[in-house]
Amino acid sequence: MIDPQDLRAAVQRGLITEAQAAGLAAMAEARRQAVAGVEPGEEPFVLFKGFNEIFIVIGLSILFMGWIGISAALGAEVFSPGGLDTVLVALVTLGGLAAVQRYFTLTRRMIAPSIALAVMTALTAWVLGLALAGLVGMQELAASALSSAVIAGVMLLHYRAFRVPFDAAIIATAVFSMVWALLAGGGILPADGLGLLHLSGTGPLSALSLVFGLLTFALAMRFDMSDPLRVSTRNTTGFWLHVVAAPAIVNTTALHLLANGQAGQLLLLVFLLAIACVAMVIDRRSFLVSGAGYAVWLIVTLFDGSALVILFLGFGLVFLGAQWDRLRSALMRALPEFPGKDRLPPYASIK
């Protein structure tokens, strides 16, 4: 909490204005209340703050679809992008979305409308990228790479302007898509777009997925460690990056291990336990969610679908969720000091 006397002294010396002092005091109080409202072991996450936000999202979606329909009726090739008219419509749409977002995100601080507008912005950027590719004569994979690059660039500007955490997931996905398209165009990866769904434990696509997941995880940890109390939007940005990183890491590794027979299945069990420990250390449950499906499959395979074993697995997950704070505190106390341990969410006060 900022000392009011320090603020008054700073104003008297001309270091800050009265308005700046009032803003600092309000920010300090908001952070104090946010910290006080976070229970040990909780992972703060809010998708919407009330049904009014859902109502606004529905309205924005209808408005966006209506605008697309009008643009198509006026001759813009929005459903098969490729032309200067489509570029102009996309730019106008981006400008309109930015104006609307200023109100709902910067003024009203609404969560669900901000996410919906971010998705609409990404879709518009995709159309813009395809239209630009059509203007310069790019085809298929080259056009896909350009459109993905446009999405990543537009959403990066969008994040800098509005700080919508969900942007991080869109940017990461767009970067992955761009790299895949470039490598597929070079003959390194399958050219079929559905090849992204045919992920296996080996091959260039598997390596790309694993490297992408690890890099995204590192970026997510950078956001997490800059806000260990998780009271700012950096916390939510880190959450969305973990949502993208976890499947890329867990799926690739699990598929690789499953290709090695029974020994691989046992190693997968060890890997899932390790992932659970990592999730507890960083206080993120997304890795456990990604591994839960493989855990059920593994149990069914090794124990012939025993209902009793599945029951115990479900009990274990429920117990882990209910006692997350105590188990994490015990784990963190048992671990030796390592770089960044003091920048992870607090645990010492939990008994």
Side-chain angles (χ1 to χ4, degrees):
M1 186 68 178
I2 300 178
D3 191 336
Q5 294 183 354
D6 291 338
L7 288 178
R8 286 194 293 270
V11 171
Q12 292 173 356
R13 296 184 182 182
L15 298 177
I16 59 176
T17 65
E18 288 282 358
Q20 291 171 332
L24 285 172
M27 180 193 71
E29 177 61 19
R31 287 181 63 85
R32 185 193 67 78
Q33 293 178 0
V35 172
V38 176
E39 296 294 333
E42 295 295 329
E43 187 175 343
F45 175 70
V46 179
L47 196 58
F48 59 91
K49 294 186 292 186
F51 191 78
N52 185 47
E53 292 197 2
I54 303 300
F55 184 76
I56 291 174
V57 167
I58 295 174
L60 288 172
S61 301
I62 295 173
L63 181 64
F64 184 66
M65 289 187 292
W67 169 249
I68 292 175
I70 291 176
S71 301
L74 293 177
E77 300 177 358
V78 293
F79 298 106
S80 56
L84 184 59
D85 55 344
T86 306
V87 173
L88 294 176
V89 169
L91 291 175
V92 171
T93 304
L94 288 175
L97 288 171
V100 175
Q101 187 114 32
R102 285 184 62 86
Y103 174 72
F104 286 111
T105 301
L106 300 182
T107 302
R108 295 292 301 275
R109 301 290 182 181
M110 289 186 166
I111 299 174
S114 298
I115 294 176
L117 288 166
V119 173
M120 295 174 194
T121 301
L123 291 174
T124 305
W126 173 67
V127 172
L128 176 61
L130 291 180
L132 291 173
L135 284 177
V136 298
M138 291 184 175
Q139 299 294 327
E140 298 179 350
L141 290 173
S144 178
L146 178 60
S147 63
S148 297
V150 171
I151 293 173
V154 169
M155 297 312 297
L156 183 59
L157 294 175
H158 188 271
Y159 181 78
R160 292 179 63 88
F162 302 110
R163 297 293 175 181
V164 178
F166 187 71
D167 290 349
I170 299 177
I171 295 170
T173 305
V175 170
F176 179 84
S177 178
M178 179 186 67
V179 174
W180 168 80
L182 291 174
L183 294 178
I188 300 176
L189 295 178
D192 182 6
L194 293 177
L196 285 173
L197 302 178
H198 300 158
L199 183 64
S200 65
T202 58
L205 182 57
S206 177
L208 173 63
S209 176
L210 183 59
V211 171
F212 166 76
L214 292 174
L215 291 176
T216 306
F217 174 77
L219 182 60
M221 289 306 303
R222 181 176 180 181
F223 278 96
D224 279 355
M225 298 176 78
S226 68
D227 181 24
L229 294 179
R230 296 183 176 170
V231 295
S232 72
T233 57
R234 297 181 69 82
N235 154 61
T236 315
T237 302
F239 167 83
W240 286 114
L241 287 172
H242 280 298
V243 168
V244 175
I249 296 173
V250 175
N251 292 351
T252 306
T253 306
L255 289 172
H256 175 73
L257 293 176
L258 288 175
N260 294 303
Q262 189 171 7
Q265 293 174 357
L266 295 176
L267 289 175
L268 176 58
L269 180 60
V270 174
F271 171 73
L272 292 176
L273 292 175
I275 285 296
C277 291
V278 171
M280 293 184 67
V281 168
I282 65 176
D283 202 15
R284 289 291 187 186
R285 294 159 177 81
S286 56
F287 279 79
L288 289 181
V289 173
S290 297
Y294 286 107
V296 173
W297 182 92
L298 191 62
I299 295 257
V300 170
T301 301
L302 295 180
F303 298 96
D304 296 324
S306 171
L308 182 61
V309 176
I310 294 176
L311 178 66
F312 275 110
L313 175 63
F315 174 78
L317 291 176
V318 172
F319 177 79
L320 182 61
Q323 299 296 321
W324 181 275
D325 52 345
R326 297 182 184 278
L327 293 174
R328 178 173 183 269
S329 178
L331 176 62
M332 295 297 286
R333 291 173 184 274
L335 290 175
E337 292 298 322
F338 56 86
K341 186 177 181 181
D342 58 338
R343 297 169 61 192
L344 293 170
Y347 61 90
S349 61
I350 303 174
K351 302 296 184 182

